[in-house]
Amino acid sequence: MEFGKQFKELRIARGLTQDTVAEKLGVTGQAISRWERGETLPDISLLPEISAYFGVTIDALFALSDDTRMERIQNMLWDERVFDPAVVENERRFLLEKGMREPDNPKPYALLADLENHLAKQCKARAELAAKEAIRRDPYGRPGFEELSSAMGGRASDWYCWSHHREIEFWKTHIAAYPDASRAYLWLIGCLIDDQRFDEARQYLKEMGKYETSFRNPLYEGNIEWFAGNREQAMKIWNGMCETYPDEWMTWLSMGDVYARMGEFGKAIELYEKALEIQKPPKMVDALESIAQVSERMGDPKRGIEALEREIVILKEQWDTASGETVDYVRREIERLKALS
């Protein structure tokens, strides 16, 4: 493990001289030089002070393999709610450098996007709190209304502000270059449906059918017809999906969403339970999250709490996840529902 290399990178990244760091740590400049050349290591008692000075964990002071470091970043995204800015900058630089070194490897940039989205989520959470305070101070005025909608993923009042035009054009260009990238069609079709461009959505679904045949084909066909106002036709398509793909758990999860959208919450919960039942371990917890949301809408928070408690058990027993933000978020939701009940 190359402590000296990591130490030097951290020092240079912060624009510090060897003498400056030496004075702060109470050692000589010569000692710092020898650490960075890999000739010696600092006394173990200095490691907490060094990590605090650079704003990184002790582990981050020692060079790891790229795969191990990538895994550590992913775990950080799953397990931590708030990141240390110094750690973020260090890992961001690592991912960018790795991406440039490996031009055919998409993983560094995918992980970087995940990191940046996590930071954006933190900013949105703070924006939500600030907007709610603005609205509390002036319940009838304009300040905070649009900001709250933006922070919580809603839409502004002007059409051009919430249309998916730029994203649609990106996916169209991507599909033109990679016509067999079937998953890209799903993102494009979803955006077209949301913008009520139904004829285009039907055309791209037809093109997708050349490369993929799964429950997603009738699912999206039904979505198009439903939001286009053809509700009976959509239900016929979805019922056909259930007959053709009865062993696919996402078939029943999707049908649960359909009935939840119609306000038939009891039927929705029945279908979510079926989706969970037919899954093979380790099971995804989407169905339980959906049951919790629907239960809250029904005015039955206790049922939602029970679903979330089952989620914690699955995370622990099937995903070996008993701590960190993934579980903490569920616990916070349980406490919120307890307050409602």
Side-chain angles (χ1 to χ4, degrees):
M1 293 184 286
E2 301 178 20
F3 170 85
K5 178 181 178 182
Q6 292 294 94
F7 185 95
K8 185 175 181 179
E9 286 183 0
L10 290 168
R11 177 179 64 78
I12 292 175
R14 287 156 179 75
L16 302 171
T17 66
Q18 289 183 342
D19 289 340
T20 299
V21 177
E23 182 179 355
K24 179 65 178 179
L25 297 177
V27 298
T28 66
Q30 184 180 19
I32 299 292
S33 179
R34 294 180 68 188
W35 294 351
E36 294 186 354
R37 292 198 303 270
E39 296 175 1
T40 61
L41 290 171
D43 187 276
I44 192 170
S45 63
L46 272 176
L47 294 181
E49 187 175 352
I50 295 172
S51 68
Y53 182 56
F54 287 121
V56 299
T57 64
I58 291 177
D59 284 347
L61 296 173
F62 296 88
L64 306 172
S65 70
D66 280 6
D67 287 346
T68 300
R69 190 165 180 180
M70 295 270 284
E71 181 180 358
R72 188 178 68 181
I73 295 171
Q74 183 63 79
N75 288 335
M76 178 180 74
L77 293 170
W78 284 335
D79 294 340
E80 297 180 23
R81 189 179 182 188
V82 178
F83 299 152
D84 184 312
V87 173
V88 167
E89 187 54 39
N90 202 37
E91 303 300 19
R92 179 187 284 126
R93 186 169 59 251
F94 160 71
L95 292 170
L96 286 169
E97 290 173 353
K98 183 173 177 63
M100 288 187 286
R101 289 197 315 268
E102 303 174 9
D104 295 326
N105 184 1
K107 293 181 180 179
Y109 283 100
L111 200 52
L112 178 61
D114 196 359
L115 174 62
E116 301 295 2
N117 276 329
H118 193 106
L119 295 171
K121 186 177 179 180
Q122 291 181 20
C123 292
K124 290 283 189 180
R126 291 195 295 270
E128 177 185 338
L129 292 176
K132 286 179 177 178
E133 178 61 18
I135 294 169
R136 186 192 67 79
R137 295 183 179 195
D138 185 358
Y140 305 103
R142 181 175 180 180
F145 283 59
E146 291 188 8
E147 288 74 16
L148 181 64
S149 178
S150 177
M152 299 187 74
R155 294 172 173 173
S157 56
D158 295 321
W159 174 83
Y160 63 84
C161 290
W162 59 257
S163 72
H164 298 285
H165 173 73
R166 292 179 63 239
E167 190 176 353
I168 286 171
E169 291 309 309
F170 170 81
W171 288 119
K172 283 186 174 182
T173 302
H174 182 79
I175 287 170
Y178 305 98
D180 58 343
S182 59
R183 286 301 178 90
Y185 288 87
L186 301 178
W187 295 98
L188 172 59
I189 292 167
C191 290
L192 290 170
I193 291 173
D194 207 27
D195 283 7
Q196 301 183 28
R197 294 163 64 170
F198 302 118
D199 288 340
E200 291 176 81
R202 293 185 184 99
Q203 180 59 40
Y204 277 100
L205 181 64
K206 182 178 179 181
E207 290 296 314
M208 186 188 83
K210 298 177 182 178
Y211 308 103
E212 175 166 341
T213 303
S214 71
F215 78 95
R216 295 182 181 88
N217 300 73
L219 173 62
Y220 276 75
E221 183 182 1
N223 286 344
I224 293 170
E225 299 310 322
W226 177 272
F227 289 105
N230 305 319
R231 301 295 174 86
E232 290 186 8
Q233 178 65 15
M235 290 303 298
K236 288 180 181 178
I237 294 168
W238 286 328
N239 287 332
M241 173 183 70
C242 295
E243 294 175 3
T244 306
Y245 302 99
D247 299 325
E248 170 57 65
W249 70 273
M250 290 193 68
T251 293
W252 305 107
L253 183 77
S254 301
M255 288 305 295
D257 291 343
V258 168
Y259 281 95
R261 194 158 56 226
M262 292 191 294
E264 297 187 27
F265 300 133
K267 181 66 174 179
I269 290 176
E270 176 187 330
L271 293 168
Y272 290 140
E273 291 285 7
K274 184 170 184 176
L276 186 68
E277 179 185 352
I278 67 174
Q279 277 193 79
K280 296 179 180 179
K283 298 186 178 187
M284 306 295 287
V285 295
D286 304 61
L288 291 169
E289 292 275 355
S290 298
I291 290 171
Q293 292 179 21
V294 168
S295 297
E296 183 176 356
R297 291 170 65 186
M298 293 173 66
D300 188 2
K302 290 184 179 180
R303 190 170 192 169
I305 292 169
E306 188 270 340
L308 294 176
E309 288 174 341
R310 289 161 62 196
E311 179 178 348
I312 288 178
V313 172
I314 289 178
L315 290 172
K316 181 179 180 180
E317 295 181 352
Q318 300 186 21
W319 294 97
D320 194 27
T321 301
S323 62
E325 177 59 14
T326 300
V327 178
D328 289 345
Y329 167 77
V330 183
R331 292 194 178 108
R332 290 197 301 273
E333 282 296 288
I334 289 174
E335 292 305 313
R336 185 180 64 82
L337 292 178
K338 284 181 177 179
L340 293 178
S341 61

